[in-house]
Amino acid sequence: MATLLKGAQAAAALNEKTAARVAALAEKGIVPTLAVVRMGEREDDLSYERGVMNRCAKLGIAVKPYLLAADAPQAALMAVLEEINVDAGVHGCLIFRPLPAQIDDKAVRAALAPEKDVDGITDASLAGVFTGSGVGYAPCTAQACVDILDHYGIPLEGKRVTVVGRSLVVGKPATMLLDRKNATVTMCNSRTKDLPQLCRQADILVVAMGKRGAIGGDCIAPGQVVVDVGIHTDEDGKLCGDVRFAEAEPVASAITPVPGGVGAMTTSVLAAHVVDASEKAAQ
């Protein structure tokens, strides 16, 4: 049976380090502050917001909410972002997406200052991930994948890693973060020919397809490490991932559970990014 790579344990270790950094900033009179921008009241947004608020409160990070109606115009959102950009007391910004249909997402991403883009949505932040320039931050979920592997002492250097999924939220940035760890990375997608074979060839398999149960036992090799980024609801109303856990768990050496895996790590990564941004602003 596979070892469960539980996100809570990795998050606790990261939170301990983050709390120490917050305490050091407090001695300088600095309170790391996150702006949360939400349009409307989508239940998934509200749920994640509660998790973010709870995590930040426990770590001593202040949260400044900016709440707009779902039908608010583009100009109203752009004015909020401009206020956040120029506010020296705000160190990071989280914008809940997808945004309502009347909002130009590209314009929003371009408007946010990359040094405050703690969730890695701006083009400048993504360019920073690909170039290693240090501008902005990696998307939190992609970073969480790497941080979980690091926490459990799973070596990446020289290892063959297959990433299934090519989104800018997880697949592509995760590929670059793993490459930076000197892994040999193959990025695949739902149309990749011989996908099961490419998956089985990997020492580490990262699945971020966004499709429930897309990866089954035919894609898993004995002794493999599996990181499942997906989060869905099955026919019985239970949470599940992109990987068919019952098929993968008896074969793999280690696997992230769903729920309780990568998702449990993301708010802690976000909080760490906010603290990092506040440290840079204080320099």
Side-chain angles (χ1 to χ4, degrees):
M1 294 179 64
T3 298
L4 295 184
L5 306 177
K6 295 183 179 180
Q9 294 180 16
L14 177 58
N15 292 338
E16 184 176 352
K17 296 176 183 177
T18 301
R21 296 165 69 188
V22 171
L25 287 166
E27 293 180 358
K28 301 176 182 179
I30 300 170
V31 178
T33 301
L34 172 68
V36 173
V37 180
R38 171 168 53 81
M39 297 189 71
E41 297 186 353
R42 286 165 44 105
E43 184 51 45
D44 53 347
D45 287 350
L46 293 172
S47 177
Y48 187 52
E49 182 179 294
R50 287 191 291 270
V52 169
M53 299 278 283
N54 182 53
R55 174 62 57 218
C56 288
K58 288 181 177 179
L59 292 173
I61 297 171
V63 176
K64 190 173 183 178
Y66 291 83
L67 310 179
L68 300 173
D71 59 356
Q74 178 91 22
L77 179 55
M78 300 301 271
V80 164
L81 295 181
E82 178 59 26
E83 179 180 334
I84 291 169
N85 284 343
V86 300
D87 187 347
V90 171
H91 305 105
C93 177
L94 172 65
I95 304 172
F96 285 103
R97 298 160 69 226
L99 293 163
Q102 79 274 14
I103 303 297
D104 182 344
D105 186 82
K106 183 177 181 180
V108 170
R109 289 186 284 112
L112 179 62
E115 62 270 19
K116 298 190 178 187
D117 177 24
V118 289
D119 199 26
I121 68 168
T122 65
D123 291 349
S125 287
L126 290 171
V129 172
F130 279 74
T131 64
S133 66
V135 174
Y137 295 88
C140 293
T141 303
Q143 186 67 59
C145 293
V146 178
D147 286 353
I148 284 179
L149 293 171
D150 283 346
H151 172 76
Y152 284 98
I154 296 170
L156 289 167
E157 185 167 351
K159 298 296 183 179
R160 294 171 297 176
V161 181
T162 294
V163 176
V164 186
R166 55 183 173 179
S167 74
L168 288 174
V169 177
V170 185
K172 289 179 179 177
T175 295
M176 297 310 301
L177 293 173
L178 292 162
D179 175 77
R180 201 177 298 169
K181 294 278 189 176
N182 296 316
T184 300
V185 189
T186 300
M187 184 170 64
C188 303
N189 58 74
S190 59
R191 299 182 183 180
T192 299
K193 292 183 179 180
D194 301 321
L195 179 60
Q197 180 180 354
L198 286 171
C199 290
R200 290 194 303 270
Q201 290 174 353
D203 300 305
I204 300 168
L205 178 63
V206 179
V207 184
M209 293 183 72
K211 184 177 180 181
R212 185 181 74 190
I215 297 297
D218 61 330
C219 296
I220 310 300
Q224 199 171 55
V225 175
V226 180
V227 178
D228 186 355
V229 183
I231 184 73
H232 313 278
T233 304
D234 65 14
E235 296 86 348
D236 299 322
K238 296 181 179 179
L239 294 177
C240 60
D242 287 357
V243 177
R244 298 199 286 275
F245 185 86
E247 298 177 22
E249 191 266 345
V251 182
S253 64
I255 187 170
T256 58
V258 178
V262 175
M265 186 75 177
T266 53
T267 57
S268 295
V269 171
L270 177 72
H273 285 177
V274 175
V275 174
D276 187 77
S278 63
E279 289 172 340
K280 289 180 178 178
Q283 292 175 355

